[in-house]
Amino acid sequence: MQFIPSALLLLFAATFFCIWLLERRRQHLLLFSLAFLTISVATVAQLALWPADIGYNTIVTASLYSAGPLFLVEGVLARSGKSMPLVEHAACFAGIVAVLAYFYYVQDDLQVRVYVLNFGMGCIFLSGVWKLRHLVRGSIVDRAMLWLLFGLALTFFARTLLTGGSVPTNNIEAFFESEFWIWAQFAMSVLGVAMGLALVVVASADVILALKAERDSDPLTGLLNRRGLQGKMQRLLAGGRRRQLSIVACDIDRFKTINDRFGHAAGDVVLSTIAGIIRAKLRAGDIAARTGGEEFVIVMTDASVDDAFSLTERLRREIANVRFADMPKDFAVTCSFGIAQFHPGEGLWDAIGRADKVLYAAKRAGRNRTFAEGLQLPSAA
């Protein structure tokens, strides 16, 4: 019965390892596996008194117990694209192990070792929470991960403060019968399973969201595709807030000529470069999508037609000034733009259709121009 918590932790270690084998680009899954594995092995080593020498056992289990939270925190950080500096890892690890060694070899006190180890593990989790505090404004999955880590940190402090007094100062046999150890085993079973299941749910949600993003994105440019644009607009309009929206239709001028003259690889570079410029110019809340071969749509939020015209003109000029390595220096890639106001209750594609009509007028006027509804002024080339 004593080894049940260890077996549960080992099961989660194997689960995350298997998921990592299927999704090797998600390195945080391997770190989660290592976290559960080290805590499981530490518990077994402590229960089985391996190595039998208490001093060596203290060092081995302290090293494993310290490594577990470090792996887990690093995994959570890696999932968010962050990491803990190696120096900080080493300082936490060495500090805990060194203090525990002191309170065995220099001043033997088991109770102090219990406090140091558990408070140290709690502090490691809190450091991770601090580094990830920005997730308070993240998705529901991110916020759940943050609060789960924070709750786990608090349990180490609360459990130790409430039951640490039951730990004897130097009697190992009595330690395994203490109130602290009983509650530690219970907490490891309950919290280990809870944390493991929560991380499995998070990993599953990450995979589902990644598949959804892949489904809704254009693989070449990274912008939304038609389906992604439709879904994003539905969510935008469902917010209940009445916003002024301008629809900008964009088309690369003479794109077929670019493909025929320089090849489709060069055409792909043009598409991805222009998409990158569009993405860089987007304001918070704006939406951009590739809706066809060389066609793009931008939804500008909280923007009148006049505002959208000014913003689009800057975008048009920047694109016209770009030069491509595989093309002559005097060859300019240009775009034409058409702008229409989105009317409440109107269908998205109806509004895009109106913006397209304005765009075709800009092309007929000579291309490399921005036209807008009610403002049919050819811009300077």
Side-chain angles (χ1 to χ4, degrees):
M1 292 293 290
Q2 287 183 316
F3 291 98
I4 288 178
S6 304
L8 292 172
L9 295 176
L10 189 61
L11 177 61
F12 281 112
T15 300
F16 285 113
F17 183 75
C18 290
I19 299 174
W20 172 74
L21 289 176
L22 298 174
E23 289 277 342
R24 296 207 177 195
R25 60 196 175 105
R26 301 180 186 276
Q27 291 296 315
H28 60 278
L29 295 173
L30 180 60
L31 292 167
F32 291 164
S33 177
L34 290 171
F36 282 96
L37 178 64
T38 52
I39 297 296
S40 175
V41 173
T43 307
V44 171
Q46 193 172 27
L47 282 169
L49 282 180
W50 183 89
D53 181 86
I54 300 301
Y56 291 156
N57 188 273
T58 297
I59 301 301
V60 169
T61 55
S63 299
L64 292 169
Y65 277 128
S66 302
L70 288 171
F71 280 132
L72 185 60
V73 167
E74 185 63 29
V76 176
L77 289 170
R79 177 185 170 273
S80 299
K82 296 181 177 293
S83 65
M84 184 185 293
L86 186 59
V87 173
E88 192 172 338
H89 273 291
C92 292
F93 182 83
I96 293 174
V97 173
V99 173
L100 290 179
Y102 175 85
F103 281 101
Y104 177 78
Y105 288 105
V106 178
Q107 184 179 339
D108 187 9
D109 194 319
L110 177 58
Q111 191 175 86
V112 172
R113 295 203 299 272
V114 165
Y115 277 93
V116 169
L117 179 59
N118 283 270
F119 283 4
M121 294 170 74
C123 286
I124 291 172
F125 287 124
L126 285 180
S127 71
V129 171
W130 177 252
K131 287 179 170 61
L132 292 167
R133 61 190 183 280
H134 66 281
L135 295 183
V136 170
R137 299 182 299 276
S139 67
I140 187 169
V141 175
D142 290 334
R143 295 198 302 273
M145 171 73 77
L146 182 66
W147 288 112
L148 190 66
L149 204 63
F150 181 65
L152 185 61
L154 293 184
T155 61
F156 280 92
F157 294 100
R159 176 169 48 81
T160 306
L161 289 172
L162 292 173
T163 63
S166 66
V167 176
T169 56
N170 57 6
N171 188 327
I172 296 298
E173 289 76 14
F175 169 74
F176 290 115
E177 297 177 1
S178 67
E179 183 183 4
F180 170 83
W181 180 253
I182 294 171
W183 278 103
Q185 292 294 289
F186 175 78
M188 192 176 300
S189 299
V190 175
L191 293 178
V193 170
M195 193 69 184
L197 290 175
L199 291 177
V200 168
V201 170
V202 168
S204 301
D206 287 342
V207 172
I208 292 170
L209 290 173
L211 291 173
K212 184 177 181 295
E214 186 177 328
R215 180 199 67 186
D216 292 345
S217 300
D218 172 56
L220 176 62
T221 63
L223 299 179
L224 295 173
N225 55 24
R226 292 174 69 92
R227 178 172 182 162
L229 174 62
Q230 180 74 43
K232 195 89 169 181
M233 275 295 289
Q234 286 177 348
R235 291 191 291 275
L236 179 66
L237 296 174
R241 176 186 167 193
R242 187 166 181 174
R243 311 178 73 169
Q244 195 171 27
L245 304 176
S246 289
I247 308 296
V248 181
C250 168
D251 189 89
I252 302 175
D253 297 327
R254 298 186 176 90
F255 186 69
K256 185 178 184 302
T257 301
I258 295 173
N259 277 335
D260 292 342
R261 183 175 174 184
F262 303 107
H264 288 279
D268 287 348
V269 172
V270 169
L271 286 167
S272 59
T273 301
I274 290 177
I277 296 172
I278 291 173
R279 190 184 299 107
K281 290 296 182 182
L282 290 181
R283 304 164 306 149
D286 289 349
I287 304 169
R290 180 187 176 196
T291 55
E294 68 272 23
E295 300 162 1
F296 300 89
V297 168
I298 305 170
V299 179
M300 293 187 177
T301 59
D302 301 316
S304 65
V305 169
D306 286 343
D307 296 332
F309 184 87
S310 299
L311 294 167
T312 303
E313 268 293 270
R314 290 199 290 270
L315 175 62
R316 181 191 65 79
R317 292 192 184 98
E318 183 165 341
I319 291 172
N321 288 329
V322 174
R323 294 298 177 265
F324 295 87
D326 295 332
M327 299 178 187
K329 291 183 179 180
D330 60 346
F331 187 89
V333 175
T334 62
C335 291
S336 297
F337 296 86
I339 305 172
Q341 190 79 50
F342 181 83
H343 302 309
E346 182 182 25
L348 170 63
W349 299 106
D350 293 332
I352 291 175
R354 289 192 292 107
D356 276 336
K357 289 180 181 179
V358 180
L359 166 65
Y360 296 145
K363 282 187 172 291
R364 288 193 298 269
R367 297 183 175 86
N368 191 22
R369 284 165 166 75
T370 302
F371 275 17
E373 278 186 334
L375 191 66
Q376 305 287 358
L377 299 175
S379 55

